[in-house]
Amino acid sequence: MDRREFVKLTAMAAATAAAARLPVADAAPPASDGVRWDKAPCRFCGTGCHVQVGVKGGRVVSIAGDRQAPVNNGLLCVKGYHVGLALYGRDRLTRPMRKQGDKHVPISWDSAVDLIAQRIKKNPSGFAMYGSGQWTIPEGYAAQKFIKGGLSNNHIDPNARLCMASAVTGFIGTYGVDEPASCYDDLDAADVIILWGNNPAEMHPVLFSRFIDRRSRGERVKLIDLGTRRTRTTAFADHYLCFKPQTDLAIANGIAHLLLRDGTYDKAFVEGHCNFRHEADGKPHLFGAPMTFDAYRKALDKYTPEYVEKLSGVSAADIVMLAKLFGQRDLRITSLWCMGVNQHTRGTALNRLIHAVHLLSGHFGKKGDGPQSLTGQPSACGTAREVGTLAHALPGGRIVANPGHRKQCEELWNLPEGRINGKPGHHTVAMWEAFSTPTSGGGDIDTLWVQVTNPAHSLPNAGKLFKPSRELADKFLIVSDVYPTETTREADLILPSAMWVEKNGMFGNSERRTQQWFKMVDPPGEARDDAWQTIAVARRLYDLGVEGMRDKDGKFLFHMQDEHGHEVPVWDFRRYYGSVNVDEQLFEEYRKFSRLKHKDLAPYAEYVKARGLRWPVVQRGDGTWRETSYRFVEGEDPYVAKGKGFQFYHSTSKDDRAQIWFNPYEPPPEAPDAEYPFWLCTGRVLEHWHTGTMTMRVPPLRRAMPGAYVEMHRLDARKLGLENGDMAAIETRRGRLELPVWIGGRGAAPEGSLFVPFFDEHVLINELTLHEHCPISKEPDYKKCAARVMAVRRA
Amino acid sequence: MPTTGLVVTIEGDEPSIAIATGVLGALAGVTLGTLHGARCPVVVETDDLAGHERVLQAVQRVSGVLACELAFADFSDVQDPAGGRVGPRREGVQHGSS
C-alpha cells in the first residue's frame, strides 16, 4: 500500500468511527511515514475541542479530531480543520522590532527586554499589562504574579473583560462564586434548548452539532432562538423570537412574572434553596440587598405579557409559551448564551435574570436542565477567571480588595506582608483611557504591554480608547504577537511570540475543563513563549535591584529548580525548555490557590493523561482523580453535604442558598433616533475568529469570507437605493466606514437593523461602536448603538 | 495532495438521504463510506488546497446536508499551505524585517 492510499484509508477510518460513534481505543489515527501524533486543545474558541496534531519534519502536517475527547468526540469545525495552517502564514513575526520614525527595525531580545525593564523601573505604577483569554493558564499566571505580586499595582486586565465579565458578575451575584454549575452534557439530554442572543451554529459549531446529531436520530429537541437577527442557527429553530435590542431583560422578567402569576414556579426548590435579591436603591451593585418573596412578586407585577410585548416586540403569546415551558417540571431546559447577553450595558443584570428564571422554575442541576454560559476564547475561563487576571482579582477566586485574600496570596507566594496592593487596578476601558490621556491630564499609565490580543482592532470606540495614545510622546506601547496586526502596526516595541503547539500550554474551557498540551514544533525565527517574555523582564528587573522581583527570602519571583534542587535560569531562553517544565512548575504553584473556592485542580500529570478534567477535581480513596459534571448537586459535587440535595456553599447570604434577582428593564444608553435611525450590531462569522489575525492567514478561510460587509434588510436597502454589493457608508456618532451591502446572506437583520462582522482589518467597525459598559462588570456593549446608512456608489 | 475525512449529516427520510448521498458520491474527488443513520463518512482527495476548498463547498451545498464536520485532515505534501491567491492585506500592516 502506498502512502496516499494509507492516508485515504486513515481518513475513511477516522470519519467512519466518528459517524458511527464507535468507541475507540486510540485517540489518534495510526502513525505512518514518520508522522508523530499528540493531543492539544484547538487554538480558537471557548468550546475546547481536542485535536490530534500530526507532526513530521518539524512541521504540523495533519489534524484529526481527538476520538477520546468528550467535548467533540473526534469531530472538528471548519476552523479546527485549519488550525494547523494558522501557524504557517507567510508574515509571521520572527524578530523583536523597535519603532524608529515610521519603520520598525530589528533589535535583539536582550535590548528589548532591557528597554521594557528600564521603563518599568522608572515608573512601576505607570506600567500595565493587557492580555487575553488566549493566554495559556501558566502565561496568565506568570503575568498576574509579576504585576500583583511583583509590581504591586494591579494594572492587569484581559480582553476577556470585553467578552465574559458580565457572566462572571452574574455567577458571583447568584451563586457567590464564578463559572457554570452545569456542563456540555446538557446538550445531549435537554428537551428544550433556549438560545439567548446566541448563534452556536456559527460560533460554537461543534456544540451545535450535538443538537443536530440528536435531531438526525429522530430525537425531539425543541430549539428556541431569542435574537435580534436571523442567523444560521435560526434555520434550525422551532421558534424564532425577534426582540428589540436591550429588551431581553423584560422578556426574562415576563417569564418570571408568569411563573408566579400562574403558580407554576417550583415552590419546593425556591423555598428550600433560594433567596431573593435586588438593587435596593436602584444603584448597580454586585451583591445587592435582600428582598422578600412578596416584594419580588410586586416588582414583577408590571411585566405582563402585554407589557413585555410592547417593549420587546415579542408577542404576548410567545412570552406565555416560554413561561409554560419553564413551568413544566418534567421538561429539561438548557439555556445557552454568550456575547449577546454579556456585551450589554446591563449584562450583569441579564445574566442574573437568566439564572433567576431557571432557579425560580427549578430547572437546575439535572443533566439537560440548567443555565450554561459559553465563552468565546479558549481560556477565558481558565486564565482570565480562574487564574484571576482581571484587575480586581487574585488567583483562585480571590480579590485584591479583601485583606484576607491578599494575605493568603502573600503567604503562598512567600512575599512580605503588604506587598499586594489592595486597590483594584484599571479595568480594560479605564486602562486604555488612562493610556490615551496625557500624563499631565491624569493619564497614569505610560507603558502598556499587550500580549495575545489585538486591541487596536477589538477595543470599542477605538478612536477614543486607542488612537490618542499614539500621538503622545511619553506613552510606550509593547506588543507581543505572532502576526502583524493593527496593534503591532502602532507599537513602539514588537515582540515575536510562539503560538499554540510551538510551546507548552494549558487552557480552561467553558465547562470548567482544564486542558494541557506539550510543545510539538519550534516557533519560527526568534519567536518565544509569552511566559518566557514576562519572566525575562522580571529577571532583568531583579538584576536591576527592583525589590518587588524578590520574595521575602530574597529569591527571584519565578525561582525554579530542577529535580536535584538546583536553580534553573529559565530567563535564559536556551534553558527554558530543558531540565524543568516551566508550565508544570507554574501550574503546580497556581494549583495551591484553587481550593478556597472549591475549584480544586489535579496535579499537572493528570492533565497530561486526560482530555481535560472539569473542576473541582478531587482525589478518591484509591488515589485516582475524579472530575465534577454538576456543581452544587448532591452525588455530583463532592462538596455538597449528604442529605442536602442542593447546596450553594458559597452563597452570598451565607445560608447555602442561591439568589434569585430582580433587575428591571432599563433602556440602552444609545438608541436609534431621527438622526441615527438604525441599530448597529457587531459580531463574528463562522470562518473567522475574532480579529482574523490567524484565520485571515489561512487561504481557504480567507477566500470563503474575504471581507466585512453590512447586513441589512431588503426594504431598508430599497429605501436607500442600495442593492447587494453596493457600497454603503455606515456612520455613528463616533465614526464612519464604507462597506459592501449584503442582503439575504447567511444572516438577516430585521428592518431598522444592521449587522457588521468585526474580523476585517480593512474596516475597523470598532471605531464606530460604543464604549459604554455594564456598571458592574465594566464590559462594553458591542451589540447595539445608533447608526445611519447612506449609499456611496454602485459597485 | 490534501486528504480529508468528513462526517456529513443529512436530513430527511431514507429516500431523501439516498438522493443526497447519490449527489455527494458523484462529486469529483469524493469517496463515500458506509452510512450510519443520517451520518455519512466522506473522504475528499484533491490535487491542491484550492481544489479541496471547492469540493468541500460543493459538499456543503448539496441539498439535505445539515452539517459537515472534520474527522481527519492531512496536508503533509502541500508545498505552500499559506499560498494561493488571496486578496491583499491592509497596506501598511506588514512590518519590514529590516
Side-chain angles (χ1 to χ4, degrees):
Chain A
M1 187 190 308
D2 67 13
R3 186 175 176 283
R4 290 295 346 141
E5 197 176 343
F6 180 82
V7 169
K8 188 174 176 182
L9 283 173
T10 303
M12 183 59 83
T16 301
R21 305 173 190 85
L22 294 174
V24 287
D26 298 321
S32 78
D33 199 22
V35 176
R36 182 173 46 82
W37 294 91
D38 204 354
K39 61 149 184 151
C42 178
R43 172 63 182 80
F44 295 119
C45 79
T47 302
C49 297
H50 258 93
V51 301
Q52 281 286 328
V53 183
V55 174
K56 183 182 174 186
R59 286 176 69 87
V60 174
V61 296
S62 313
I63 291 291
D66 192 319
R67 299 185 240 177
Q68 291 179 346
V71 170
N72 53 309
N73 295 313
L75 295 173
L76 296 169
C77 76
V78 67
K79 287 190 289 292
Y81 173 13
H82 292 102
V83 65
L85 297 181
L87 296 168
Y88 300 118
R90 288 171 171 170
D91 55 346
R92 280 290 298 266
L93 295 167
T94 58
R95 302 171 76 178
M97 286 184 283
R98 186 175 184 181
K99 197 162 201 175
Q100 280 188 359
D102 292 336
K103 289 184 176 175
H104 285 100
V105 298
I107 62 170
S108 68
W109 266 112
D110 197 52
S111 301
V113 167
D114 198 54
L115 182 58
I116 300 169
Q118 294 292 352
R119 281 200 68 96
I120 296 171
K121 186 175 183 230
K122 192 175 164 192
N123 182 19
S125 63
F127 175 71
M129 285 188 90
Y130 183 63
S132 88
Q134 298 157 68
W135 256 336
T136 68
I137 288 170
E139 284 168 353
Y141 178 73
Q144 148 97 306
K145 187 178 181 185
F146 172 57
I147 288 271
K148 290 172 182 161
L151 298 176
S152 308
N153 77 13
N154 297 336
H155 294 318
I156 178 171
D157 217 37
N159 69 354
R161 177 77 68 182
L162 310 177
C163 72
M164 43 95 268
S166 300
V168 175
T169 45
F171 280 112
I172 290 174
T174 302
Y175 308 104
V177 64
D178 184 25
E179 295 201 41
S182 53
C183 62
Y184 298 161
D185 301 5
D186 289 345
L187 297 168
D188 303 327
D191 301 304
V192 180
I193 297 173
I194 300 179
L195 307 170
W196 297 77
N198 190 214
N199 176 16
E202 287 197 82
M203 307 315 152
H204 299 87
V206 170
L207 294 183
F208 195 66
S209 76
R210 288 188 178 196
F211 158 79
I212 290 176
D213 181 37
R214 288 181 65 201
R215 271 213 179 154
S216 74
R217 283 186 275 139
E219 289 190 45
R220 294 169 69 95
V221 192
K222 191 187 285 278
L223 186 72
I224 300 175
D225 180 16
L226 271 163
T228 58
R229 59 184 274 266
R230 285 180 176 274
T231 66
R232 276 193 173 182
T233 304
T234 314
F236 297 89
D238 298 279
H239 300 277
Y240 170 57
L241 312 183
C242 183
F243 63 91
K244 293 176 191 164
Q246 190 88 356
T247 63
D248 32 17
L249 294 154
I251 293 169
N253 280 337
I255 297 168
H257 166 89
L258 288 171
L259 288 167
L260 296 186
R261 188 197 74 181
D262 299 342
T264 51
Y265 72 99
D266 189 335
K267 194 174 178 197
F269 186 84
V270 170
E271 287 182 356
H273 305 293
C274 303
N275 291 321
F276 295 92
R277 212 89 183 159
H278 68 148
E279 288 163 343
D281 52 5
K283 289 183 183 163
H285 196 281
L286 178 60
F287 297 115
M291 73 192 301
T292 64
F293 176 70
D294 287 340
Y296 176 69
R297 182 193 288 274
K298 193 160 184 288
L300 287 170
D301 264 354
K302 73 174 180 182
Y303 291 93
T304 62
E306 295 71 26
Y307 177 63
V308 174
E309 176 180 316
K310 194 175 164 189
L311 282 175
S312 69
V314 174
S315 74
D318 281 334
I319 303 298
V320 171
M321 178 269 294
L322 288 169
K324 279 188 174 165
L325 289 172
F326 275 104
Q328 292 180 55
R329 291 289 91 69
D330 56 341
L331 282 181
R332 290 176 181 241
I333 302 177
T334 293
S335 283
L336 293 179
W337 70 96
C338 199
M339 296 309 126
V341 168
N342 296 343
Q343 292 177 337
H344 197 303
T345 49
R346 293 301 276 150
T348 302
L350 184 54
N351 270 272
R352 290 168 176 167
L353 295 182
I354 296 172
H355 293 299
V357 167
H358 275 268
L359 292 167
L360 193 62
S361 60
H363 286 288
F364 183 91
K366 298 181 286 293
K367 187 175 176 181
D369 211 20
Q372 170 71 38
S373 77
L374 301 173
T375 53
Q377 299 186 83
S379 200
C381 285
T383 306
R385 294 159 78 160
E386 292 155 29
V387 169
T389 53
L390 295 149
H392 65 281
L394 286 166
R398 294 166 179 82
I399 55 172
V400 299
N402 183 320
H405 289 178
R406 294 200 301 275
K407 189 166 186 290
Q408 289 163 8
C409 292
E410 285 162 355
E411 284 171 3
L412 284 164
W413 282 337
N414 194 36
L415 300 176
E417 194 176 333
R419 170 72 68 78
I420 298 172
N421 194 329
K423 186 182 173 192
H426 289 313
H427 61 78
T428 294
V429 170
M431 180 188 288
W432 287 96
E433 276 181 331
F435 192 56
S436 275
T437 300
T439 307
S440 58
D444 62 356
I445 300 297
D446 63 23
T447 302
L448 210 163
W449 188 355
V450 175
Q451 290 189 338
V452 213
T453 187
N454 183 11
H457 191 143
S458 59
L459 283 172
N461 196 1
K464 173 180 164 63
L465 295 184
F466 183 84
K467 283 188 172 174
S469 74
R470 304 299 73 220
E471 307 298 325
L472 300 171
D474 66 333
K475 305 282 181 168
F476 194 80
L477 180 65
I478 306 152
V479 183
S480 301
D481 213 324
V482 299
Y483 285 113
T485 67
E486 280 302 302
T487 312
T488 61
R489 189 157 74 113
E490 300 289 345
D492 297 293
L493 180 64
I494 299 169
L495 305 175
S497 291
M499 172 183 168
W500 191 44
V501 296
E502 294 166 353
K503 60 187 179 185
N504 288 343
M506 301 184 83
F507 282 158
N509 81 347
S510 298
E511 57 162 2
R512 296 175 278 110
R513 184 181 295 276
T514 309
Q515 304 159 302
Q516 177 277 345
W517 76 94
F518 286 122
K519 176 182 173 180
M520 300 177 205
V521 296
D522 286 329
E526 298 175 25
R528 295 179 182 180
D529 302 42
D530 293 278
W532 174 83
Q533 296 174 27
T534 302
I535 291 170
V537 170
R539 183 64 189 195
R540 189 62 52 92
L541 286 165
Y542 174 96
D543 292 340
L544 290 168
V546 173
E547 192 56 30
M549 297 301 117
R550 288 167 165 76
D551 69 10
K552 66 183 180 189
D553 298 326
K555 283 185 180 166
F556 178 41
L557 213 55
F558 298 101
H559 175 86
M560 293 189 189
Q561 52 188 42
D562 63 18
E563 58 187 324
H564 307 296
H566 301 132
E567 183 171 25
V568 179
V570 295
W571 53 90
D572 176 348
F573 193 63
R574 292 166 300 184
R575 303 293 300 277
Y576 194 73
Y577 286 96
S579 53
V580 294
N581 178 338
V582 174
D583 261 31
E584 181 173 9
Q585 296 220 3
L586 289 170
F587 181 77
E588 288 297 339
E589 183 182 298
Y590 158 59
R591 194 164 81 82
K592 295 173 191 157
F593 290 84
S594 67
R595 298 201 182 107
L596 176 75
K597 297 287 183 177
H598 302 93
K599 300 183 177 185
D600 310 36
L601 298 168
Y604 183 85
E606 295 301 314
Y607 298 99
V608 172
K609 291 185 281 189
R611 300 300 183 270
L613 294 168
R614 292 173 289 199
W615 56 258
V617 188
V618 295
Q619 195 165 25
R620 297 187 182 101
D622 64 0
T624 59
W625 295 82
R626 173 195 183 274
E627 65 170 355
T628 301
S629 303
Y630 292 90
R631 295 167 84 195
F632 314 129
V633 182
E634 185 178 350
E636 294 277 354
D637 184 336
Y639 290 110
V640 173
K642 202 171 179 184
K644 287 274 190 183
F646 296 90
Q647 186 180 9
F648 298 100
Y649 43 74
H650 285 292
S651 169
T652 56
S653 46
K654 314 287 185 201
D655 56 2
D656 288 343
R657 288 166 176 263
Q659 313 302 318
I660 293 176
W661 279 81
F662 170 74
N663 280 109
Y665 162 75
E666 290 175 39
E670 186 177 278
D673 54 21
E675 201 178 354
Y676 295 91
F678 286 87
W679 285 108
L680 171 62
C681 177
T682 67
R684 280 172 36 198
V685 292
L686 173 66
E687 294 83 357
H688 293 300
W689 195 71
H690 283 197
T691 60
T693 55
M694 293 179 283
T695 50
M696 283 290 270
R697 262 83 182 183
V698 177
L701 295 176
R702 192 155 159 220
R703 280 190 286 261
M705 181 57 75
Y709 54 87
V710 56
E711 171 188 297
M712 64 191 303
H713 194 274
R714 192 175 304 279
L715 295 177
D716 288 328
R718 189 177 298 162
K719 281 180 212 162
L720 292 162
L722 288 163
E723 293 176 7
N724 241 337
D726 285 353
M727 293 301 288
I730 313 299
E731 262 185 36
T732 70
R733 290 183 172 87
R734 293 153 293 281
R736 180 183 193 272
L737 280 176
E738 293 182 8
L739 290 151
V741 171
W742 198 5
I743 304 160
R746 65 171 58 163
E751 268 189 272
S753 285
L754 311 169
F755 172 81
V756 177
F758 72 92
F759 69 88
D760 189 350
E761 65 187 352
H762 295 79
V763 276
L764 298 177
I765 191 63
N766 282 320
E767 290 178 355
L768 276 62
T769 49
L770 272 179
H771 72 283
E772 266 73 5
H773 48 266
C774 168
I776 299 172
S777 70
K778 320 297 184 196
E779 178 165 349
D781 192 329
Y782 290 87
K783 298 297 183 188
K784 43 193 159 317
C785 66
R788 61 186 173 204
V789 188
M790 288 149 289
V792 175
R793 60 178 180 273
R794 296 279 180 195
Chain B
M1 197 169 189
T3 306
T4 299
L6 305 170
V7 175
V8 175
T9 306
I10 305 165
E11 69 178 335
D13 52 17
E14 277 186 27
S16 309
I17 292 173
I19 291 168
T21 51
V23 176
L24 284 169
L27 294 171
V30 165
T31 306
L32 302 187
T34 307
L35 198 63
H36 294 271
R39 289 175 133 189
C40 185
V42 172
V43 171
V44 177
E45 206 179 18
T46 57
D47 290 335
D48 54 31
L49 274 181
H52 213 76
E53 204 179 314
R54 282 193 292 275
V55 178
L56 291 180
Q57 285 171 0
V59 167
Q60 290 171 76
R61 278 197 300 266
V62 170
S63 179
V65 168
L66 277 180
C68 178
E69 292 157 300
L70 173 88
F72 176 89
D74 178 277
F75 44 93
S76 55
D77 52 7
V78 174
Q79 292 304 312
D80 182 9
R85 295 180 62 184
V86 289
R89 293 179 57 77
R90 181 172 170 146
E91 195 176 332
V93 176
Q94 306 277 354
H95 299 292
S97 59
S98 60

